[in-house]
Amino acid sequence: MVDSVFAPLPIVRTAADLRAKVRRWRAEGERVALVPTMGALHDGHLSLIEAARREAERVVASVFVNPTQFAPHEDFSAYPRQEAEDARLLARVECDLLYAPTVQEMYPVDFATIVSVGEVTETLCGAKRPGHFDGVATVVAKLFNQALPDVAVFGEKDWQQLTMIRRMVRDLDMPVRILGVPTFREADGLAMSSRNRYLTPEERRIAGKLNKALAGAAAYVARGAPAEAASEAAAQALREAGFAKIDYLEVRDAENLAPVKVWDPARPARIFAAAHLGKARLIDNLPIGSP
Ligand code: PAF
């Protein structure tokens, strides 16, 4: 289909304008779903919009590259920004509204409040990226307060982020339902990510091995193998394939992220990895046994 069939997507840049739109929909009895993103949208994001459309009459996507979740040495300035293309893609999947605030709108000069969720943020990516999850929790709490959605949709690729957001919503009695959507993958299993574009063609060929190594280790652990031995074998395979550094490759409880030594089929568990390949830091996770 040609894009001219799709009306251009309305864009708002202030919380006040967003609220006004949402208030009108709610007055008509329509439910509102929010899909928070940092833009550079790919098919994984579009699958979140599609899931949101099944949950609510109206779907708002936010695109905001959130400075507070990047450490000074990370890729905040290099992070891909392509608002016009994002708006075009969102219109094609019949998103109703794009909320694209400026940094000043989100963080006025005297902004001082930080949301910190505690234990589930201190491990895995949180241990390697201090402050990252405080930045995510703070901006997501703000987005929830600005949009007042009935439901908010997040990808399972960032399982620790999803776990943290569920905990924040529960702890702070936020009136929003959180929906997690399974990871959208390329044909070779690579989890879709805006950061995959940092990979060279040779690195892209290697990148699919992350998912395969996790799947192999998950299968061993599901059959009763000790989690540490299975994880170490997978990490070694990734090093041999060309991954420069493995931040972690570990089996954890799926709900509280506590370490798992031998899987107890009565508890959901997942295997998690973050590994560096060229300029990209790739993350992925898979369930142990059936999800
Ligand atoms: O997952 C992301 O893209 C970001 O962490 C989020 C949830 C949009 C907050 O900036």
Side-chain angles (χ1 to χ4, degrees), residues 36-38 66 69 136 139-140 154 161:
T37 82
M38 295 206 301
N66 174 35
Q69 69 188 77
V136 175
V139 82
V140 170
F154 296 87
Q161 169 175 286

Side-chain angles (χ1 to χ4, degrees), residues 2-231:
V2 289
D3 279 341
S4 56
V5 179
F6 299 99
L9 185 67
I11 302 179
V12 289
R13 300 196 186 275
T14 66
D17 287 347
L18 171 64
R19 281 262 182 91
K21 282 264 189 197
V22 169
R23 201 177 300 121
R24 253 175 268 138
W25 288 331
R26 282 178 173 279
E28 300 288 316
E30 292 177 319
R31 288 163 303 175
V32 177
L34 174 69
V35 183
T37 82
M38 295 206 301
L41 302 181
H42 49 68
D43 287 349
H45 292 113
L46 302 185
S47 77
L48 302 183
I49 303 287
E50 274 153 14
R53 277 170 37 79
R54 294 191 286 274
E55 301 293 318
E57 286 75 26
R58 297 290 181 172
V59 176
V60 178
S62 62
V63 168
F64 179 64
V65 184
N66 174 35
T68 66
Q69 69 188 77
F70 291 80
H73 65 279
E74 290 182 342
D75 57 343
F76 173 69
S77 353
Y79 199 86
R81 288 158 172 90
Q82 47 165 64
E83 185 183 291
E85 173 66 0
D86 288 345
R88 193 183 65 77
L89 292 170
L90 289 167
R92 292 182 76 151
V93 287
E94 295 175 47
C95 180
D96 293 286
L97 182 66
L98 169 56
Y99 176 46
T102 60
V103 173
Q104 293 71 22
E105 173 72 9
M106 199 57 100
Y107 298 114
V109 275
D110 53 353
F111 185 85
T113 304
I114 302 292
V115 180
S116 192
V117 181
E119 208 174 1
V120 293
T121 70
E122 286 161 9
T123 184
L124 302 175
C125 280
K128 295 289 169 189
R129 303 181 68 190
H132 167 71
F133 284 117
D134 287 357
V136 175
T138 304
V139 82
V140 170
K142 282 182 66 85
L143 288 166
F144 288 174
N145 284 335
Q146 292 171 340
L148 301 173
D150 296 278
V151 56
V153 182
F154 296 87
E156 289 185 351
K157 180 172 82 71
D158 296 287
W159 186 274
Q160 187 175 14
Q161 169 175 286
L162 179 60
T163 303
M164 176 194 76
I165 291 166
R166 288 190 199 283
R167 186 68 62 89
M168 174 181 78
V169 163
R170 190 202 70 182
D171 288 355
L172 299 183
D173 306 304
M174 293 177 164
V176 55
R177 183 162 60 87
I178 303 302
L179 179 71
V181 174
T183 304
F184 207 80
R185 297 182 182 281
E186 306 277 2
D188 65 352
L190 177 66
M192 285 199 186
S193 164
S194 306
R195 288 184 167 108
N196 290 352
R197 63 185 73 190
Y198 298 157
L199 298 167
T200 63
E202 173 58 7
E203 289 159 359
R204 172 63 195 84
R205 194 187 54 74
I206 297 168
K209 297 188 191 241
L210 176 59
N211 177 254
K212 290 191 182 65
L214 287 183
Y220 280 134
V221 174
R223 290 202 295 271
E228 200 178 326
S231 301

Side-chain angles (χ1 to χ4, degrees), residues 194-270:
S194 306
R195 288 184 167 108
N196 290 352
R197 63 185 73 190
Y198 298 157
L199 298 167
T200 63
E202 173 58 7
E203 289 159 359
R204 172 63 195 84
R205 194 187 54 74
I206 297 168
K209 297 188 191 241
L210 176 59
N211 177 254
K212 290 191 182 65
L214 287 183
Y220 280 134
V221 174
R223 290 202 295 271
E228 200 178 326
S231 301
E232 185 39 46
Q236 187 53 31
L238 290 178
R239 281 184 213 104
E240 282 164 18
F243 281 81
K245 186 157 80 109
I246 317 285
D247 278 351
Y248 57 81
L249 198 162
E250 290 178 36
V251 180
R252 297 285 179 126
D253 185 279
E255 284 166 13
N256 59 25
L257 306 184
V260 166
K261 284 190 187 318
V262 174
W263 181 48
D264 168 4
R267 288 273 327 156
R270 298 183 82 88

